[in-house]
Amino acid sequence: MEKLLPCFAVLFLVAFTSIVRADPDMLQDICAADLASTIKINGFPCKANVTADDFFFAGLGKAGNTTNLVGSVVTPANVEKVPGLNTLGVSMARIDYAVGGINPPHTHPRATEIVFVIEGTLDVGFITTANVLIAKTITKGDVFVFPRGLVHFQKNAGYEPATVIAGFNSQLQGTQSIATALFASNPTVDDYVLAKAFQIDNNQVEAIKAKLAPKK
C-alpha cells in the first residue's frame, strides 16, 4: 500500500487541478508551447510540430540538491518544462527539504497549491489577509492546501529529509519569495522604505540585502 502512495498522489493532484483550474479555458485539443518564439502573448504560442516529448518530463523522480541557504529545492514540472501543458491549466512540482530546511514565505499569484507528503514531517501554514495564521503539522500521506495568492511556507519538522509533490491549477503558477522580492529586487527597494516597514535601521537592511543578493 505504501508503494502506491505516490501514484495516488499524482492521480489526486491531477483530478484536483483539472477541476479547479485557474487559467483560461483552451480553445483546441492541444497547444504545445513554442518556448523559443519571440511573440509575446498571455501564455505561449503553439508549436507547429508536436511530439510526445512535449507532454513528457522525467524530472520528478529524483531528489533535488538541498545544499543551499534555506535547505530546500523545488523541481518544477510546469509549461517551461512540459510544453504540452500550455493552455491546460495544470502543473506540478517536487519539493525536497533537508533536515531543518524551509520553503521560505512566498506566494503564487496565479494558482492555488495542494501538497501531498511523500516522506517526512512538515510544519506548514498560510496567512490570511486578516493576518490569521492557519498552520498544521503534516506527515507522510497527508494533504494540505495553500489558497491562491496567500503567503505560505513549509518547514521540515522531522529528523530526516522530507519530500512533497505539489499540484497547481495553473500551467505557470508564478512564485514570489517575500524576502527575496523585498531585499533582492532589481533595482533594489529603497533602504528607508524597508527600514520603516520592518522597524529596523539602514545598516540592518543593507546586511540582509547582502545575504540575499544574487551570487555572481
Side-chain angles (χ1 to χ4, degrees):
M1 179 63 180
E2 289 189 357
K3 293 182 178 180
L4 294 177
L5 280 176
C7 297
F8 292 151
V10 171
L11 291 174
F12 177 80
L13 293 173
V14 169
F16 168 82
T17 52
S18 297
I19 294 170
V20 294
R21 49 178 293 148
D23 294 349
D25 287 338
M26 55 189 179
L27 300 177
Q28 52 206 5
D29 289 344
I30 59 175
C31 177
D34 184 353
L35 300 176
S37 175
T38 58
I39 299 174
K40 299 298 181 183
I41 62 172
N42 185 25
F44 296 93
C46 304
K47 290 177 64 174
N49 299 309
V50 178
T51 71
D53 286 340
D54 291 316
F55 299 86
F56 173 80
F57 180 63
L60 297 189
K62 182 179 179 181
N65 183 3
T66 57
T67 305
N68 53 52
L69 289 176
V70 296
S72 73
V73 64
V74 178
T75 304
N78 55 36
V79 67
E80 294 177 337
K81 300 291 185 180
V82 189
L85 289 175
N86 194 36
T87 76
L88 298 185
V90 296
S91 61
M92 300 177 68
R94 172 183 176 138
I95 311 172
D96 292 291
Y97 313 80
V99 175
I102 66 167
N103 192 4
H106 62 282
T107 69
H108 301 300
R110 296 187 290 273
T112 290
E113 176 182 4
I114 184 169
V115 297
F116 181 92
V117 183
I118 301 297
E119 293 290 348
T121 300
L122 298 158
D123 290 336
V124 302
F126 62 87
I127 302 159
T128 72
T129 55
N131 279 339
V132 176
L133 172 64
I134 308 295
K136 192 169 182 65
T137 299
I138 58 176
T139 190
K140 184 175 181 178
D142 291 343
V143 166
F144 197 82
V145 176
F146 304 102
R148 175 179 176 177
L150 296 185
V151 175
H152 59 282
F153 61 88
Q154 301 108 35
K155 180 189 77 173
N156 185 347
Y159 299 99
E160 297 179 354
T163 301
V164 305
I165 296 294
F168 304 93
N169 60 336
S170 173
Q171 67 181 35
L172 192 62
Q173 78 280 1
T175 300
Q176 188 168 45
S177 172
I178 305 304
T180 303
L182 292 173
F183 290 92
S185 63
N186 184 23
T188 59
V189 178
D190 185 85
D191 286 1
Y192 177 84
V193 173
L194 296 173
K196 197 78 168 177
F198 289 93
Q199 295 295 292
I200 57 179
D201 61 44
N202 284 10
N203 290 332
Q204 290 172 307
V205 171
E206 285 298 318
I208 296 172
K209 283 185 175 181
K211 288 183 178 180
L212 296 179
K215 299 296 184 289
K216 297 181 180 180

